[in-house]
Amino acid sequence: MSKFLNERYRKLESYVPGEQPKDRVFVKLNTNESPYPPGPAVIAAVNSREMEDLRLYPDPECGLLKDKIAELTGMKRANIFVANGSDDILNFAFMAFAGGRTEVMFPEISYGFYPVFARLHGLRYREVPLKDDFSVDPADYVCQNKMIVIANPNAPTGKALSLYQVEQIVRTNRENVVVVDEAYVDFGAESSAELVHKYENLLIVQTFSKSRSMAGARLGFAIGGEGIISDLEKLKFSTNPYNINRLTMAAGIAAIEENGYYEENCRKIVETREYTADELRKMGFNVIPSQANFLFVKNDRIDGGRLQSRLREKGYLIRHFDTEKLRQYNRITIGTRQDMEGFIAAISEIMEEELQ
């Protein structure tokens, strides 16, 4: 840290992303990426004449991309906001809709960027404990008169609220924005996007990183009422109007045009998730029921950090959170069926070796 850093940021604890190894080949089950490549249309789009047009700025309005997303989601263009990954949208939302007398609420165990954004923007915030089964209790968020941010399904647990439960939260906090982060919604949960037609205070955030195999492209979108979408556009055009590059925009359009390919990939991931959960339970693991592309698990016979370390030795990366409430658990991204069969074999070997 230099002496020049603004005093406001000197104690800021930044978000720590999952490991991206460069020194050897691992089976990466630690960052919730898709195990499947983008579809043929995406690959064709980014290898087209768009490459030649990189000398030109992209469309700052992202008009065609917004139209495609609007068509996919049953919205109008004015209900769609796009940005450089869903993290970019969340950052704008914390900046735009909280501050002054407006506090922020989010689950204590959830996406690690929420408290980072709150501290970054100097916001007062409250972290709400989960229930004993790691679920979010909607009653905790009713009539709170605060900005509310909920990941649904939640991370790292994979548990989801129903549409009715989300509406209960949105309906009773009409004077503040409720952000529903649906990064993992395509793996079995129910989107709350239809509620946008009823509630002007609801903002749905989704991403192309998980179910659409484009984590490296950095593309996210939000669905909301025209008013709050306009607010987000104001911030975007006050910071970086060209925040979606030409190749990412072309890839996003192509991905929507071949949406069936990604739906089939999600189906395979869900099927493999259930296989993996069953196999882990047979070995004595406590597996939290998940509606995401990952599992959150523990086994009382081996420390969570120890299991992560042993799996790394065998070529498998998983995510460990070294906090008081989570350190016995690990989050495991679902790969291909072949990935997970190898992973289960590695776990079995480790458990046998540890118990000798």
Side-chain angles (χ1 to χ4, degrees):
M1 181 189 307
S2 79
K3 65 180 180 181
F4 306 108
L5 182 63
N6 187 320
E7 186 175 345
R8 173 178 173 179
Y9 303 120
R10 291 184 181 179
K11 295 183 179 179
L12 184 66
E13 295 181 21
S14 58
Y15 175 75
V16 180
E19 180 184 3
Q20 298 287 352
K22 300 178 179 64
D23 57 340
R24 58 167 288 189
V25 176
F26 288 92
V27 178
K28 284 185 80 274
L29 306 178
N30 64 325
T31 50
N32 296 343
E33 298 148 321
S34 174
Y36 301 107
V42 169
I43 294 171
V46 298
N47 284 286
S48 69
R49 70 185 186 89
E50 284 292 333
M51 297 289 287
E52 299 176 10
D53 287 341
L54 286 178
R55 61 189 177 83
L56 304 173
Y57 284 112
D59 172 17
E61 299 286 347
C62 305
L64 182 54
L65 175 59
K66 286 182 181 178
D67 287 343
K68 291 292 184 180
I69 295 172
E71 181 181 351
L72 179 69
T73 58
M75 301 288 164
K76 296 183 294 183
R77 182 193 286 195
N79 298 121
I80 305 298
F81 178 76
V82 295
N84 186 245
S86 59
D87 291 338
D88 207 22
I89 301 170
L90 292 168
N91 184 31
F92 281 141
F94 275 77
M95 190 189 310
F97 305 122
R101 285 181 286 181
T102 302
E103 298 180 38
V104 188
M105 286 180 67
F106 44 81
E108 177 187 24
I109 297 172
S110 193
Y111 185 29
F113 240 137
Y114 301 156
V116 173
F117 286 140
R119 292 191 293 263
L120 177 66
H121 298 299
L123 307 175
R124 290 177 296 145
Y125 66 95
R126 178 183 163 204
E127 296 177 288
V128 183
L130 299 180
K131 296 167 68 175
D132 290 343
D133 66 352
F134 281 123
S135 63
V136 171
D137 188 347
D140 290 335
Y141 299 89
V142 168
C143 298
Q144 289 297 317
N145 194 30
K146 295 177 176 63
M147 174 182 166
I148 293 169
V149 183
I150 291 178
N152 195 46
N154 196 17
T157 66
K159 302 197 85 168
L161 296 175
S162 68
L163 182 64
Y164 171 81
Q165 291 172 316
V166 172
E167 183 169 14
Q168 183 183 10
I169 296 169
V170 179
R171 186 183 66 248
T172 60
N173 290 281
R174 289 177 183 264
E175 297 305 309
N176 292 279
V177 170
V178 176
V179 178
V180 182
D181 182 355
E182 294 187 345
Y184 302 101
V185 74
D186 293 325
F187 300 103
E190 185 176 16
S191 176
S192 301
E194 67 180 65
L195 298 179
V196 164
H197 299 298
K198 291 178 63 176
Y199 302 100
E200 66 178 0
N201 62 318
L202 174 61
L203 183 69
I204 303 294
V205 182
Q206 293 194 17
T207 180
F208 281 67
S209 294
K210 313 302 181 184
S211 61
R212 296 177 181 89
S213 303
M214 286 173 51
R218 310 310 303 133
L219 180 59
F221 67 94
I223 305 168
E226 294 185 19
I228 59 178
I229 294 299
S230 176
D231 295 338
L232 294 174
E233 294 284 0
K234 182 175 184 177
L235 291 181
K236 168 188 166 178
F237 278 85
S238 298
T239 51
N240 181 10
Y242 304 108
N243 67 343
I244 306 296
N245 68 68
R246 297 185 71 95
L247 296 184
T248 292
M249 204 176 308
I253 292 166
I256 293 172
E257 290 175 342
E258 57 180 359
N259 194 53
Y261 169 81
Y262 301 99
E263 291 179 336
E264 174 60 16
N265 287 346
C266 288
R267 186 197 65 76
K268 291 189 288 188
I269 289 169
V270 168
E271 186 178 89
T272 305
R273 180 188 71 203
E274 298 312 303
Y275 155 78
T276 305
D278 288 343
E279 293 299 313
L280 288 171
R281 289 189 182 103
K282 290 176 186 176
M283 288 188 279
F285 280 81
N286 175 20
V287 181
I288 305 298
S290 173
Q291 290 181 279
N293 68 333
F294 55 81
L295 295 171
F296 198 51
V297 310
K298 74 168 183 175
N299 191 312
D300 291 335
R301 295 181 296 168
I302 185 169
D303 176 77
R306 172 71 175 170
L307 179 59
Q308 180 202 35
S309 177
R310 291 299 318 279
L311 279 166
R312 197 179 198 284
E313 293 171 2
K314 292 182 180 291
Y316 292 87
L317 297 182
I318 61 174
R319 191 75 188 268
H320 181 66
F321 300 90
D322 192 17
T323 64
E324 181 181 353
K325 293 184 178 181
L326 301 182
R327 63 172 50 103
Q328 285 302 111
Y329 286 84
N330 287 293
R331 192 193 68 195
I332 302 161
T333 303
I334 301 302
T336 65
R337 178 64 178 247
Q338 183 178 4
D339 290 337
M340 303 318 291
E341 287 175 351
F343 171 78
I344 290 298
I347 287 261
S348 180
E349 291 174 5
I350 290 168
M351 298 306 292
E352 288 182 9
E353 292 163 1
E354 291 291 318
L355 293 174
Q356 287 178 356

